[in-house]
Amino acid sequence: MVRGTPGGQQVGREKMQEKKGKGFLLGGPAGTGANGPQEGDIRLRDERGNWHVVQGIPLYPPLYTDRSATIAVIDSGILADHPQIRGLIAEQEDFTGEGPEDRIGHGTIVAILTLQARSAAPPEFQNLPSPRILVAKVADADGTVDKHAVISAIDWAASRGAGVVNLSLGFIEGTDDYSDLCSAITKHPEVLFVAAAGNYGPDVRVYPAACAQDGAANIISVGTTDDWSGKGDIQAPGTVTLKPLEP
């Protein structure tokens, strides 16, 4: 789940999506633009092309090795040359037909946040190699997510050796049947899935996080400590701060 303050501006909450089989990214609203999202969205570059970076995560991480864990980020794609993620993207696959580039910013931020655990780990674990990151793009330029694209992306990530799959996206209960989405998760018991609990309070069930309540044992849900968050197995602060990269 990603919310942020790029340049001091709070990234707002997306609207509930009610179209059958269509979902949404969780954390920041959708936007468009070749350099990432526009006003009110997660801005990763300014008008001069200078990067914005996530506060608290180092620049230019060490490259992954054959000892690295493999993490898949199923989201809005990636800006692979971002200085906090450069060199860590092992494979990319586009399930939208738009190409793998992140036009929203959400997927890039989520990929960067996979490094946070390493940065915050005890000293004896900080020498572990950076993760090997797989990127599957399932959100189009307006932030819409198709359920069948997510299912295909899950199968792709598992086939490429992912041990952990991040799903910061969701579908609201009642807008479709999501048993096929839950089945896609349970048929890969060797993979741990981490899904956002939702942005609509504890009483709204959001899939795939709600697959755990339907019997999926290999998924955990993550929420924030804010009152708008869904109820997660893990609750943590949910604000991401972006700052301009100093020349």
Side-chain angles (χ1 to χ4, degrees), residues 3 5 23 41 45 49 55 64 75 78 85 111 142 144 159 162 171 194 196 198 216 240:
R3 291 169 66 83
T5 50
D41 296 318
R45 275 180 171 164
Q55 186 170 296
Y64 63 84
D75 210 283
I78 193 76
I85 204 74
D142 67 2
T144 302
S159 75
F171 304 84
V194 181
V240 174

mmCIF file with all atom_site columns, all heavy atoms in Angstrom, residues 3 5 23 41 45 49 55 64 75 78 85 111 142 144 159 162 171 194 196 198 216 240:
data_model
loop_
_atom_site.group_PDB
_atom_site.id
_atom_site.type_symbol
_atom_site.label_atom_id
_atom_site.label_alt_id
_atom_site.label_comp_id
_atom_site.label_asym_id
_atom_site.label_entity_id
_atom_site.label_seq_id
_atom_site.pdbx_PDB_ins_code
_atom_site.Cartn_x
_atom_site.Cartn_y
_atom_site.Cartn_z
_atom_site.occupancy
_atom_site.B_iso_or_equiv
_atom_site.pdbx_formal_charge
_atom_site.auth_seq_id
_atom_site.auth_comp_id
_atom_site.auth_asym_id
_atom_site.auth_atom_id
_atom_site.pdbx_PDB_model_num
ATOM 1   N N   . ARG A 1 3   ? 1.066   5.390   -0.075  1.00 0.00 ? 3   ARG A N   1
ATOM 2   C CA  . ARG A 1 3   ? 0.624   6.768   -0.078  1.00 0.00 ? 3   ARG A CA  1
ATOM 3   C C   . ARG A 1 3   ? 1.879   7.599   0.078   1.00 0.00 ? 3   ARG A C   1
ATOM 4   O O   . ARG A 1 3   ? 2.861   7.141   0.617   1.00 0.00 ? 3   ARG A O   1
ATOM 5   C CB  . ARG A 1 3   ? -0.370  7.041   1.065   1.00 0.00 ? 3   ARG A CB  1
ATOM 6   C CG  . ARG A 1 3   ? -1.699  6.349   0.873   1.00 0.00 ? 3   ARG A CG  1
ATOM 7   C CD  . ARG A 1 3   ? -2.534  6.433   2.127   1.00 0.00 ? 3   ARG A CD  1
ATOM 8   N NE  . ARG A 1 3   ? -2.925  7.801   2.439   1.00 0.00 ? 3   ARG A NE  1
ATOM 9   C CZ  . ARG A 1 3   ? -3.965  8.421   1.906   1.00 0.00 ? 3   ARG A CZ  1
ATOM 10  N NH1 . ARG A 1 3   ? -4.690  7.824   0.990   1.00 0.00 ? 3   ARG A NH1 1
ATOM 11  N NH2 . ARG A 1 3   ? -4.284  9.639   2.261   1.00 0.00 ? 3   ARG A NH2 1
ATOM 12  N N   . THR A 1 5   ? 4.036   11.731  -0.090  1.00 0.00 ? 5   THR A N   1
ATOM 13  C CA  . THR A 1 5   ? 4.050   13.190  -0.076  1.00 0.00 ? 5   THR A CA  1
ATOM 14  C C   . THR A 1 5   ? 5.159   13.670  -1.003  1.00 0.00 ? 5   THR A C   1
ATOM 15  O O   . THR A 1 5   ? 6.259   13.969  -0.563  1.00 0.00 ? 5   THR A O   1
ATOM 16  C CB  . THR A 1 5   ? 4.277   13.735  1.339   1.00 0.00 ? 5   THR A CB  1
ATOM 17  O OG1 . THR A 1 5   ? 5.411   13.081  1.911   1.00 0.00 ? 5   THR A OG1 1
ATOM 18  C CG2 . THR A 1 5   ? 3.070   13.503  2.212   1.00 0.00 ? 5   THR A CG2 1
ATOM 19  N N   . GLY A 1 23  ? -10.182 -3.755  -11.242 1.00 0.00 ? 23  GLY A N   1
ATOM 20  C CA  . GLY A 1 23  ? -9.744  -3.332  -9.926  1.00 0.00 ? 23  GLY A CA  1
ATOM 21  C C   . GLY A 1 23  ? -8.910  -2.078  -10.021 1.00 0.00 ? 23  GLY A C   1
ATOM 22  O O   . GLY A 1 23  ? -8.958  -1.347  -11.007 1.00 0.00 ? 23  GLY A O   1
ATOM 23  N N   . ASP A 1 41  ? -0.505  13.093  -8.307  1.00 0.00 ? 41  ASP A N   1
ATOM 24  C CA  . ASP A 1 41  ? -0.100  11.703  -8.321  1.00 0.00 ? 41  ASP A CA  1
ATOM 25  C C   . ASP A 1 41  ? 1.324   11.545  -7.787  1.00 0.00 ? 41  ASP A C   1
ATOM 26  O O   . ASP A 1 41  ? 1.921   12.475  -7.275  1.00 0.00 ? 41  ASP A O   1
ATOM 27  C CB  . ASP A 1 41  ? -0.221  11.146  -9.733  1.00 0.00 ? 41  ASP A CB  1
ATOM 28  C CG  . ASP A 1 41  ? -1.656  11.143  -10.226 1.00 0.00 ? 41  ASP A CG  1
ATOM 29  O OD1 . ASP A 1 41  ? -2.534  10.780  -9.430  1.00 0.00 ? 41  ASP A OD1 1
ATOM 30  O OD2 . ASP A 1 41  ? -1.890  11.524  -11.374 1.00 0.00 ? 41  ASP A OD2 1
ATOM 31  N N   . ARG A 1 45  ? 9.611   12.312  -11.348 1.00 0.00 ? 45  ARG A N   1
ATOM 32  C CA  . ARG A 1 45  ? 10.521  13.233  -12.029 1.00 0.00 ? 45  ARG A CA  1
ATOM 33  C C   . ARG A 1 45  ? 9.863   14.602  -12.083 1.00 0.00 ? 45  ARG A C   1
ATOM 34  O O   . ARG A 1 45  ? 8.648   14.706  -12.247 1.00 0.00 ? 45  ARG A O   1
ATOM 35  C CB  . ARG A 1 45  ? 10.825  12.757  -13.445 1.00 0.00 ? 45  ARG A CB  1
ATOM 36  C CG  . ARG A 1 45  ? 11.962  11.753  -13.538 1.00 0.00 ? 45  ARG A CG  1
ATOM 37  C CD  . ARG A 1 45  ? 12.197  11.326  -14.968 1.00 0.00 ? 45  ARG A CD  1
ATOM 38  N NE  . ARG A 1 45  ? 13.402  10.550  -15.098 1.00 0.00 ? 45  ARG A NE  1
ATOM 39  C CZ  . ARG A 1 45  ? 13.690  9.803   -16.160 1.00 0.00 ? 45  ARG A CZ  1
ATOM 40  N NH1 . ARG A 1 45  ? 12.857  9.750   -17.176 1.00 0.00 ? 45  ARG A NH1 1
ATOM 41  N NH2 . ARG A 1 45  ? 14.814  9.121   -16.210 1.00 0.00 ? 45  ARG A NH2 1
ATOM 42  N N   . GLY A 1 49  ? 13.224  16.732  -15.568 1.00 0.00 ? 49  GLY A N   1
ATOM 43  C CA  . GLY A 1 49  ? 13.694  15.358  -15.662 1.00 0.00 ? 49  GLY A CA  1
ATOM 44  C C   . GLY A 1 49  ? 14.496  14.883  -14.474 1.00 0.00 ? 49  GLY A C   1
ATOM 45  O O   . GLY A 1 49  ? 15.050  13.777  -14.503 1.00 0.00 ? 49  GLY A O   1
ATOM 46  N N   . GLN A 1 55  ? 12.488  8.783   0.594   1.00 0.00 ? 55  GLN A N   1
ATOM 47  C CA  . GLN A 1 55  ? 13.302  9.120   1.751   1.00 0.00 ? 55  GLN A CA  1
ATOM 48  C C   . GLN A 1 55  ? 13.593  7.884   2.591   1.00 0.00 ? 55  GLN A C   1
ATOM 49  O O   . GLN A 1 55  ? 12.713  7.070   2.857   1.00 0.00 ? 55  GLN A O   1
ATOM 50  C CB  . GLN A 1 55  ? 12.562  10.159  2.603   1.00 0.00 ? 55  GLN A CB  1
ATOM 51  C CG  . GLN A 1 55  ? 13.362  10.696  3.772   1.00 0.00 ? 55  GLN A CG  1
ATOM 52  C CD  . GLN A 1 55  ? 12.675  11.891  4.410   1.00 0.00 ? 55  GLN A CD  1
ATOM 53  O OE1 . GLN A 1 55  ? 12.516  12.929  3.790   1.00 0.00 ? 55  GLN A OE1 1
ATOM 54  N NE2 . GLN A 1 55  ? 12.236  11.708  5.648   1.00 0.00 ? 55  GLN A NE2 1
ATOM 55  N N   . TYR A 1 64  ? 22.031  -7.617  -7.686  1.00 0.00 ? 64  TYR A N   1
ATOM 56  C CA  . TYR A 1 64  ? 21.651  -8.929  -7.158  1.00 0.00 ? 64  TYR A CA  1
ATOM 57  C C   . TYR A 1 64  ? 22.674  -9.973  -7.592  1.00 0.00 ? 64  TYR A C   1
ATOM 58  O O   . TYR A 1 64  ? 23.446  -9.781  -8.546  1.00 0.00 ? 64  TYR A O   1
ATOM 59  C CB  . TYR A 1 64  ? 20.237  -9.300  -7.598  1.00 0.00 ? 64  TYR A CB  1
ATOM 60  C CG  . TYR A 1 64  ? 20.026  -9.465  -9.080  1.00 0.00 ? 64  TYR A CG  1
ATOM 61  C CD1 . TYR A 1 64  ? 20.317  -10.670 -9.721  1.00 0.00 ? 64  TYR A CD1 1
ATOM 62  C CD2 . TYR A 1 64  ? 19.501  -8.431  -9.856  1.00 0.00 ? 64  TYR A CD2 1
ATOM 63  C CE1 . TYR A 1 64  ? 20.112  -10.841 -11.074 1.00 0.00 ? 64  TYR A CE1 1
ATOM 64  C CE2 . TYR A 1 64  ? 19.291  -8.585  -11.210 1.00 0.00 ? 64  TYR A CE2 1
ATOM 65  C CZ  . TYR A 1 64  ? 19.596  -9.788  -11.824 1.00 0.00 ? 64  TYR A CZ  1
ATOM 66  O OH  . TYR A 1 64  ? 19.399  -9.943  -13.164 1.00 0.00 ? 64  TYR A OH  1
ATOM 67  N N   . ASP A 1 75  ? 2.088   -4.856  -10.641 1.00 0.00 ? 75  ASP A N   1
ATOM 68  C CA  . ASP A 1 75  ? 1.655   -3.485  -10.370 1.00 0.00 ? 75  ASP A CA  1
ATOM 69  C C   . ASP A 1 75  ? 1.538   -2.717  -11.690 1.00 0.00 ? 75  ASP A C   1
ATOM 70  O O   . ASP A 1 75  ? 1.005   -3.251  -12.666 1.00 0.00 ? 75  ASP A O   1
ATOM 71  C CB  . ASP A 1 75  ? 2.669   -2.831  -9.415  1.00 0.00 ? 75  ASP A CB  1
ATOM 72  C CG  . ASP A 1 75  ? 2.044   -1.783  -8.511  1.00 0.00 ? 75  ASP A CG  1
ATOM 73  O OD1 . ASP A 1 75  ? 1.789   -0.672  -9.004  1.00 0.00 ? 75  ASP A OD1 1
ATOM 74  O OD2 . ASP A 1 75  ? 1.810   -2.072  -7.324  1.00 0.00 ? 75  ASP A OD2 1
ATOM 75  N N   . ILE A 1 78  ? 7.474   -0.414  -14.300 1.00 0.00 ? 78  ILE A N   1
ATOM 76  C CA  . ILE A 1 78  ? 8.692   0.034   -13.629 1.00 0.00 ? 78  ILE A CA  1
ATOM 77  C C   . ILE A 1 78  ? 9.393   1.095   -14.456 1.00 0.00 ? 78  ILE A C   1
ATOM 78  O O   . ILE A 1 78  ? 9.369   1.059   -15.689 1.00 0.00 ? 78  ILE A O   1
ATOM 79  C CB  . ILE A 1 78  ? 9.636   -1.175  -13.391 1.00 0.00 ? 78  ILE A CB  1
ATOM 80  C CG1 . ILE A 1 78  ? 10.769  -0.823  -12.407 1.00 0.00 ? 78  ILE A CG1 1
ATOM 81  C CG2 . ILE A 1 78  ? 10.194  -1.709  -14.691 1.00 0.00 ? 78  ILE A CG2 1
ATOM 82  C CD1 . ILE A 1 78  ? 10.335  -0.782  -10.977 1.00 0.00 ? 78  ILE A CD1 1
ATOM 83  N N   . ILE A 1 85  ? 16.558  1.754   -7.752  1.00 0.00 ? 85  ILE A N   1
ATOM 84  C CA  . ILE A 1 85  ? 16.176  0.407   -8.184  1.00 0.00 ? 85  ILE A CA  1
ATOM 85  C C   . ILE A 1 85  ? 17.019  -0.078  -9.367  1.00 0.00 ? 85  ILE A C   1
ATOM 86  O O   . ILE A 1 85  ? 16.951  -1.238  -9.771  1.00 0.00 ? 85  ILE A O   1
ATOM 87  C CB  . ILE A 1 85  ? 14.660  0.387   -8.533  1.00 0.00 ? 85  ILE A CB  1
ATOM 88  C CG1 . ILE A 1 85  ? 14.098  -1.026  -8.408  1.00 0.00 ? 85  ILE A CG1 1
ATOM 89  C CG2 . ILE A 1 85  ? 14.394  0.977   -9.909  1.00 0.00 ? 85  ILE A CG2 1
ATOM 90  C CD1 . ILE A 1 85  ? 13.936  -1.480  -6.996  1.00 0.00 ? 85  ILE A CD1 1
ATOM 91  N N   . ALA A 1 111 ? 8.352   -1.262  -5.908  1.00 0.00 ? 111 ALA A N   1
ATOM 92  C CA  . ALA A 1 111 ? 9.606   -1.994  -6.105  1.00 0.00 ? 111 ALA A CA  1
ATOM 93  C C   . ALA A 1 111 ? 10.705  -1.436  -5.214  1.00 0.00 ? 111 ALA A C   1
ATOM 94  O O   . ALA A 1 111 ? 11.477  -2.195  -4.609  1.00 0.00 ? 111 ALA A O   1
ATOM 95  C CB  . ALA A 1 111 ? 10.018  -1.934  -7.571  1.00 0.00 ? 111 ALA A CB  1
ATOM 96  N N   . ASP A 1 142 ? -4.458  4.614   -16.794 1.00 0.00 ? 142 ASP A N   1
ATOM 97  C CA  . ASP A 1 142 ? -5.391  5.281   -15.879 1.00 0.00 ? 142 ASP A CA  1
ATOM 98  C C   . ASP A 1 142 ? -5.536  4.541   -14.557 1.00 0.00 ? 142 ASP A C   1
ATOM 99  O O   . ASP A 1 142 ? -6.395  4.867   -13.736 1.00 0.00 ? 142 ASP A O   1
ATOM 100 C CB  . ASP A 1 142 ? -6.754  5.509   -16.531 1.00 0.00 ? 142 ASP A CB  1
ATOM 101 C CG  . ASP A 1 142 ? -7.518  4.224   -16.820 1.00 0.00 ? 142 ASP A CG  1
ATOM 102 O OD1 . ASP A 1 142 ? -7.007  3.127   -16.477 1.00 0.00 ? 142 ASP A OD1 1
ATOM 103 O OD2 . ASP A 1 142 ? -8.611  4.293   -17.398 1.00 0.00 ? 142 ASP A OD2 1
ATOM 104 N N   . THR A 1 144 ? -6.318  1.331   -14.042 1.00 0.00 ? 144 THR A N   1
ATOM 105 C CA  . THR A 1 144 ? -7.262  0.214   -14.006 1.00 0.00 ? 144 THR A CA  1
ATOM 106 C C   . THR A 1 144 ? -6.518  -1.111  -14.105 1.00 0.00 ? 144 THR A C   1
ATOM 107 O O   . THR A 1 144 ? -5.580  -1.259  -14.883 1.00 0.00 ? 144 THR A O   1
ATOM 108 C CB  . THR A 1 144 ? -8.274  0.325   -15.161 1.00 0.00 ? 144 THR A CB  1
ATOM 109 O OG1 . THR A 1 144 ? -8.966  1.570   -15.055 1.00 0.00 ? 144 THR A OG1 1
ATOM 110 C CG2 . THR A 1 144 ? -9.276  -0.816  -15.117 1.00 0.00 ? 144 THR A CG2 1
ATOM 111 N N   . SER A 1 159 ? 6.362   -19.032 -12.404 1.00 0.00 ? 159 SER A N   1
ATOM 112 C CA  . SER A 1 159 ? 7.160   -19.790 -13.377 1.00 0.00 ? 159 SER A CA  1
ATOM 113 C C   . SER A 1 159 ? 8.580   -19.252 -13.493 1.00 0.00 ? 159 SER A C   1
ATOM 114 O O   . SER A 1 159 ? 9.484   -19.980 -13.915 1.00 0.00 ? 159 SER A O   1
ATOM 115 C CB  . SER A 1 159 ? 6.484   -19.762 -14.752 1.00 0.00 ? 159 SER A CB  1
ATOM 116 O OG  . SER A 1 159 ? 6.650   -18.503 -15.391 1.00 0.00 ? 159 SER A OG  1
ATOM 117 N N   . ALA A 1 162 ? 9.759   -16.707 -8.572  1.00 0.00 ? 162 ALA A N   1
ATOM 118 C CA  . ALA A 1 162 ? 9.487   -15.786 -7.463  1.00 0.00 ? 162 ALA A CA  1
ATOM 119 C C   . ALA A 1 162 ? 9.206   -16.556 -6.179  1.00 0.00 ? 162 ALA A C   1
ATOM 120 O O   . ALA A 1 162 ? 8.416   -17.494 -6.164  1.00 0.00 ? 162 ALA A O   1
ATOM 121 C CB  . ALA A 1 162 ? 8.304   -14.885 -7.805  1.00 0.00 ? 162 ALA A CB  1
ATOM 122 N N   . PHE A 1 171 ? -9.569  -5.666  -5.721  1.00 0.00 ? 171 PHE A N   1
ATOM 123 C CA  . PHE A 1 171 ? -10.900 -5.735  -6.314  1.00 0.00 ? 171 PHE A CA  1
ATOM 124 C C   . PHE A 1 171 ? -11.899 -5.808  -5.164  1.00 0.00 ? 171 PHE A C   1
ATOM 125 O O   . PHE A 1 171 ? -11.746 -6.618  -4.253  1.00 0.00 ? 171 PHE A O   1
ATOM 126 C CB  . PHE A 1 171 ? -11.045 -6.986  -7.195  1.00 0.00 ? 171 PHE A CB  1
ATOM 127 C CG  . PHE A 1 171 ? -10.013 -7.098  -8.281  1.00 0.00 ? 171 PHE A CG  1
ATOM 128 C CD1 . PHE A 1 171 ? -8.765  -7.650  -8.018  1.00 0.00 ? 171 PHE A CD1 1
ATOM 129 C CD2 . PHE A 1 171 ? -10.290 -6.649  -9.562  1.00 0.00 ? 171 PHE A CD2 1
ATOM 130 C CE1 . PHE A 1 171 ? -7.811  -7.765  -9.019  1.00 0.00 ? 171 PHE A CE1 1
ATOM 131 C CE2 . PHE A 1 171 ? -9.340  -6.762  -10.565 1.00 0.00 ? 171 PHE A CE2 1
ATOM 132 C CZ  . PHE A 1 171 ? -8.097  -7.318  -10.296 1.00 0.00 ? 171 PHE A CZ  1
ATOM 133 N N   . VAL A 1 194 ? 1.896   -11.273 -0.799  1.00 0.00 ? 194 VAL A N   1
ATOM 134 C CA  . VAL A 1 194 ? 1.679   -10.159 0.127   1.00 0.00 ? 194 VAL A CA  1
ATOM 135 C C   . VAL A 1 194 ? 0.747   -9.170  -0.571  1.00 0.00 ? 194 VAL A C   1
ATOM 136 O O   . VAL A 1 194 ? 1.084   -8.628  -1.623  1.00 0.00 ? 194 VAL A O   1
ATOM 137 C CB  . VAL A 1 194 ? 3.001   -9.475  0.506   1.00 0.00 ? 194 VAL A CB  1
ATOM 138 C CG1 . VAL A 1 194 ? 2.754   -8.346  1.493   1.00 0.00 ? 194 VAL A CG1 1
ATOM 139 C CG2 . VAL A 1 194 ? 3.985   -10.497 1.087   1.00 0.00 ? 194 VAL A CG2 1
ATOM 140 N N   . ALA A 1 196 ? -2.249  -5.881  -0.393  1.00 0.00 ? 196 ALA A N   1
ATOM 141 C CA  . ALA A 1 196 ? -2.759  -4.723  0.335   1.00 0.00 ? 196 ALA A CA  1
ATOM 142 C C   . ALA A 1 196 ? -4.173  -4.994  0.836   1.00 0.00 ? 196 ALA A C   1
ATOM 143 O O   . ALA A 1 196 ? -5.013  -5.551  0.124   1.00 0.00 ? 196 ALA A O   1
ATOM 144 C CB  . ALA A 1 196 ? -2.753  -3.493  -0.558  1.00 0.00 ? 196 ALA A CB  1
ATOM 145 N N   . GLY A 1 198 ? -6.464  -2.817  1.530   1.00 0.00 ? 198 GLY A N   1
ATOM 146 C CA  . GLY A 1 198 ? -7.481  -1.896  1.008   1.00 0.00 ? 198 GLY A CA  1
ATOM 147 C C   . GLY A 1 198 ? -7.462  -0.555  1.695   1.00 0.00 ? 198 GLY A C   1
ATOM 148 O O   . GLY A 1 198 ? -6.896  -0.398  2.783   1.00 0.00 ? 198 GLY A O   1
ATOM 149 N N   . ALA A 1 216 ? -7.007  -19.366 1.591   1.00 0.00 ? 216 ALA A N   1
ATOM 150 C CA  . ALA A 1 216 ? -5.650  -19.365 1.047   1.00 0.00 ? 216 ALA A CA  1
ATOM 151 C C   . ALA A 1 216 ? -4.653  -19.217 2.189   1.00 0.00 ? 216 ALA A C   1
ATOM 152 O O   . ALA A 1 216 ? -4.682  -18.229 2.925   1.00 0.00 ? 216 ALA A O   1
ATOM 153 C CB  . ALA A 1 216 ? -5.478  -18.239 0.035   1.00 0.00 ? 216 ALA A CB  1
ATOM 154 N N   . VAL A 1 240 ? 4.583   7.353   2.416   1.00 0.00 ? 240 VAL A N   1
ATOM 155 C CA  . VAL A 1 240 ? 5.886   7.372   1.773   1.00 0.00 ? 240 VAL A CA  1
ATOM 156 C C   . VAL A 1 240 ? 6.229   8.828   1.463   1.00 0.00 ? 240 VAL A C   1
ATOM 157 O O   . VAL A 1 240 ? 5.410   9.554   0.903   1.00 0.00 ? 240 VAL A O   1
ATOM 158 C CB  . VAL A 1 240 ? 5.874   6.550   0.467   1.00 0.00 ? 240 VAL A CB  1
ATOM 159 C CG1 . VAL A 1 240 ? 7.188   6.695   -0.272  1.00 0.00 ? 240 VAL A CG1 1
ATOM 160 C CG2 . VAL A 1 240 ? 5.588   5.088   0.771   1.00 0.00 ? 240 VAL A CG2 1
#
